[in-house]
Amino acid sequence: MSTKKRVLTVIGTRPEIIKMAPVIPVLDRLFEQRLIHSGQHYSTEMDSSFFEELALRKPDANLQVGSIGSATQVGRIMEGLEREIAAFKPHAVVIQGDTNTTLAGALCAAKHRADGVKLVHIEALARSYNELQAEEINRRIADQLSHLLLGLYPHDIEVARREGIPAERVAIVGNTVADGCLRMASVIDDAVTLRRVGVNRGEFVFVTCHRQETVDSRVTLTELFRALREIARRISVVFAIHPRTRTRALEFGVDLSSGNGFHALDPLGYRDTIALVKNARFCMSDSGGLLEEAATLRTPMLILRNEVEQTYFVDAGIHSLVPPSYRTLTQAADQLLDDPHELARRRDVQLLIRTGVPEAIGQKIAELLG
Ligand code: UD1
């Protein structure tokens, strides 16, 4: 019988797969790890394609919850995890980020606290301070319940203090995104992606948008598309459209066709995404992961949100916040297109990008489990 500590790791959505891909092999080396996929994301384009591209081993079980109402989704994931925890008897449950899968993992681990099960939260303490956001609620609950909070930036210690979380539970390790995207950027052939999409290096803007607060609003989503078509008159716009965004756009009667410099694409795999982020003049997105990838690859981003968790990149000056409307988006894009010096200044901003994060995470979990 193995003398290694048992760790039950829970993933379920595209960002969790991407951000945990470099961590899972480290945990496999250090612990007896059981990897559980909730099945929150399930289609090839949101799920299995990333396992292939990131050479990530298969999960040990898939709970196959699929797309259902949020509360039911959390409940069903908990039901599945309950069985897994009872059978595997982990010393720790490891969760990442802020999705419904993350919340279900946190709640289920907490129910087994009396059995000695510890909870580890990766990408802890990120805050948007928008309490209407599902992700903000998920993160706060997960953090309150965690024994080990692995934060991204030094100021996360202050967040913990304000929320009454003891400093000894917190370790600042950084984000796993940089390790993953630098690894991918070093092996891909960008030209293949650019040729397939039909754009040239530096001559396009790369766009993604999927957050409920943006795409579930008829006004915001309609204005976003109108602004992107306007920007496409000046520079090609490549928009990789998330399934939620596509569904809402169809409901709101938004035209999804490509043409006149506007390239409407299905969600992309990791290889293509990194190639486009790296070669774009700038990006426009509401994704937290993409924001970090763009910073790592030194591509400025207009963040399509009212507030952001990673204020570091806005304060440093590489990215800026642009609450999405037709006027704000076209103005912000015009400013960058009209002023190449500003673009160059943003690209040259000095940033602290940590690497070696997966190993640091493994070490902190090992210390916790003794
Ligand atoms: C979820 C996360 C969000 C994360 C995002 C990344 C929550 C509360 N939200 O939002 O934090 O940033 O994932 O994508 O957990 N769909 C597919 N194929 C799939 C999965 C979903 O087509 O594999 C479609 C379904 O129509 C579904 C919709 O996308 O209704 C939304 O999926 P869902 O998982 O509910 O939320 P996301 O918007 O993806």
Side-chain angles (χ1 to χ4, degrees):
M1 204 174 121
S2 167
T3 53
K4 287 181 170 175
K5 299 281 180 181
R6 289 180 300 280
V7 163
L8 186 111
T9 303
V10 188
I11 57 173
T13 65
R14 182 173 67 174
E16 286 156 329
I17 298 164
I18 293 171
K19 292 173 185 175
M20 288 299 286
V23 180
I24 288 161
V26 173
L27 301 189
D28 270 334
R29 246 188 349 262
L30 294 175
F31 308 105
E32 185 184 340
Q33 176 177 223
R34 187 158 170 82
L35 179 62
I36 310 296
H37 192 316
S38 69
Q40 180 175 343
H41 283 176
Y42 46 84
S43 50
T44 307
E45 58 187 14
M46 298 297 286
D47 177 31
S48 54
S49 74
F50 292 92
F51 280 84
E52 270 165 45
E53 285 188 284
L54 297 165
L56 179 57
R57 66 130 162 132
K58 286 203 170 17
D60 299 302
N62 190 316
L63 307 176
Q64 297 188 324
V65 296
S67 293
I68 31 176
S70 278
T72 316
Q73 195 171 52
V74 173
R76 294 222 181 127
I77 300 172
M78 284 184 72
E79 255 178 62
L81 288 179
E82 177 76 33
R83 282 194 299 275
E84 288 291 336
I85 290 176
F88 186 60
K89 299 190 179 10
H91 297 95
V93 169
V94 176
I95 52 173
Q96 194 281 340
D98 56 15
T99 67
N100 287 341
T101 297
T102 314
L103 176 65
L107 292 173
C108 213
K111 296 286 175 205
H112 291 269
R113 191 173 276 247
D115 308 326
V117 176
K118 301 265 198 306
L119 177 63
V120 178
H121 187 199
I122 298 175
E123 200 183 281
L125 296 166
R127 292 288 178 272
S128 68
Y129 298 103
N130 178 348
E131 289 173 7
L132 296 178
Q133 262 181 343
E135 288 84 358
E136 180 76 359
I137 297 166
N138 295 346
R139 272 193 296 267
R140 283 179 182 237
I141 295 172
D143 283 345
Q144 282 297 332
L145 297 175
S146 292
H147 296 82
L148 175 61
L149 294 88
L150 297 167
L152 307 186
Y153 307 108
H155 75 245
D156 292 343
I157 298 271
E158 180 54 24
V159 176
R161 195 192 58 75
R162 276 203 303 270
E163 295 181 17
I165 298 167
E168 54 274 19
R169 287 200 209 153
V170 179
I172 305 303
V173 290
N175 201 327
T176 60
V177 165
D179 286 285
C181 96
L182 288 172
R183 218 173 283 175
M184 185 54 91
S186 70
V187 298
I188 50 175
D189 184 351
D190 306 347
V192 174
T193 302
L194 299 185
R195 210 174 313 123
R196 186 150 21 87
V197 177
V199 288
N200 296 321
R201 186 179 302 257
E203 293 178 17
F204 65 95
V205 177
F206 181 52
V207 184
T208 79
C209 190
H210 73 282
R211 283 181 187 265
Q212 293 175 44
E213 62 265 30
T214 313
V215 307
D216 289 1
S217 153
R218 178 186 290 271
V219 173
T220 313
L221 192 64
T222 309
E223 291 209 10
L224 170 72
F225 273 87
R226 197 155 68 83
L228 294 178
R229 287 192 187 276
E230 181 63 30
I231 296 164
R233 292 155 67 103
R234 296 194 62 184
I235 184 168
S236 293
V237 169
V238 178
F239 190 0
I241 305 180
H242 186 279
R244 175 185 284 276
T245 311
R246 180 173 297 277
T247 306
R248 293 291 174 265
L250 291 171
E251 256 172 55
F252 300 152
V254 172
D255 174 14
L256 284 172
S257 60
S258 294
N260 299 323
F262 182 72
H263 304 248
L265 308 182
D266 287 333
L268 296 168
Y270 200 56
R271 201 172 269 125
D272 287 336
T273 301
I274 294 303
L276 290 170
V277 170
K278 190 172 150 205
N279 289 285
R281 178 91 58 95
F282 59 90
C283 293
M284 299 170 75
S285 177
D286 62 358
S287 156
L290 208 80
L291 174 166
E292 303 242 8
E293 282 149 4
T296 306
L297 300 171
R298 316 202 69 81
T299 303
M301 178 184 282
L302 302 178
I303 303 169
L304 310 179
R305 296 179 62 190
N306 296 317
E307 65 279 309
V308 69
E309 295 79 15
Q310 300 99 323
T311 48
Y312 170 69
F313 297 106
V314 177
D315 296 342
I318 181 166
H319 299 335
S320 51
L321 264 178
V322 183
S325 73
Y326 174 79
R327 193 181 52 80
T328 51
L329 292 176
T330 49
Q331 269 179 5
D334 279 344
Q335 267 167 17
L336 284 187
L337 293 172
D338 290 341
D339 188 354
H341 298 296
E342 168 59 9
L343 208 59
R345 187 198 62 74
R346 288 187 184 218
R347 281 186 185 276
D348 288 343
V349 160
Q350 290 298 310
L351 294 169
L352 174 72
I353 303 281
R354 283 189 201 224
T355 52
V357 176
E359 291 72 20
I361 289 173
Q363 194 191 327
K364 289 292 171 194
I365 300 175
E367 284 167 17
L368 173 77
L369 299 182

